[in-house]
Amino acid sequence: MKHLKRIAGLALAASFLGTSAMAAPVNQMAAHETAIGANTKGAYVEHKVTNKATVGYEYMDRDEYDNQDAAYLQYDIIGSEVKAIGGYRWNLPGDKSNAFIGASISTPKIFGFDAYASYAAGKDFNETQVGINKNIIANLDANLNYHNFKPDEGHHEDGIGVGVTLKF
């Protein structure tokens, strides 16, 4: 019953986020663990520096806007399932760069799966991602997600993505 309530909460949060986060999936990591991943739209590396704080860097390949880079911090608010996100993104449309804030919510692992939703917004963009991670073997996860990037200038980009994450 406890897991059912969390899944229902995640679905509700995802519905509030709408169709508008980072291209990197939301990872559940232990203190001092590192995750390196590649996905349909880019690559990332992140490291959990304390029991609650994770720092990361991400490269995103955008269809219309070349590439974007972001440095970010995630802070666990409730367990590792609810996180606050803050960072800085370069190379936005119109040659802009923005600080951004956001949040994510995820489920605990159930049969090797965990689902998540995340939202981030800066002065000139907002982005949402909803996805699911599946542990394949030991420290290797696969990811399936839907993302929606909405810059204030230009066209928005959305789509389905896949990726892999190696944790060590």
Side-chain angles (χ1 to χ4, degrees):
M1 186 66 169
K2 181 179 175 183
H3 295 299
L4 184 58
K5 287 180 182 177
R6 288 184 182 189
I7 292 169
L10 176 64
L12 182 62
S15 70
F16 284 126
L17 293 175
T19 59
S20 40
M22 311 289 283
V26 175
N27 289 305
Q28 305 251 353
M29 299 190 310
H32 309 295
E33 189 172 31
T34 300
I36 297 174
N39 55 47
T40 309
K41 290 294 190 181
Y44 68 95
V45 60
E46 57 188 26
H47 180 74
K48 191 152 189 182
V49 294
T50 70
N51 287 337
K52 293 189 170 269
T54 302
V55 296
Y57 166 80
E58 178 176 25
Y59 165 83
M60 294 151 283
D61 181 16
R62 297 290 183 203
D63 293 338
E64 282 187 46
Y65 309 110
D66 296 325
N67 64 57
Q68 296 171 11
D69 299 284
Y72 57 90
L73 172 70
Q74 297 175 356
Y75 190 80
D76 297 349
I77 297 173
I78 300 173
S80 59
E81 285 90 23
V82 178
K83 301 174 188 284
I85 302 168
Y88 197 80
R89 188 174 292 185
W90 297 269
N91 304 321
L92 289 163
D95 200 27
K96 296 180 180 177
S97 299
N98 285 176
F100 63 87
I101 60 170
S104 71
I105 184 169
S106 61
T107 65
K109 284 202 183 292
I110 302 170
F111 303 114
F113 288 92
D114 64 282
Y116 64 89
S118 62
Y119 176 80
K123 180 180 172 213
D124 297 304
F125 77 98
N126 67 72
E127 189 172 6
T128 298
Q129 181 170 284
V130 177
I132 190 162
N133 295 315
K134 167 66 173 128
N135 181 252
I136 300 172
I137 56 170
N139 56 349
L140 185 66
D141 290 354
N143 172 267
L144 175 65
N145 66 73
Y146 169 78
H147 71 277
N148 189 325
F149 170 69
K150 289 182 165 182
D152 287 350
E153 294 181 21
H155 300 98
H156 80 277
E157 173 183 297
D158 65 337
I160 303 291
V162 296
V164 294
T165 300
L166 177 65
K167 296 178 186 173
F168 55 94

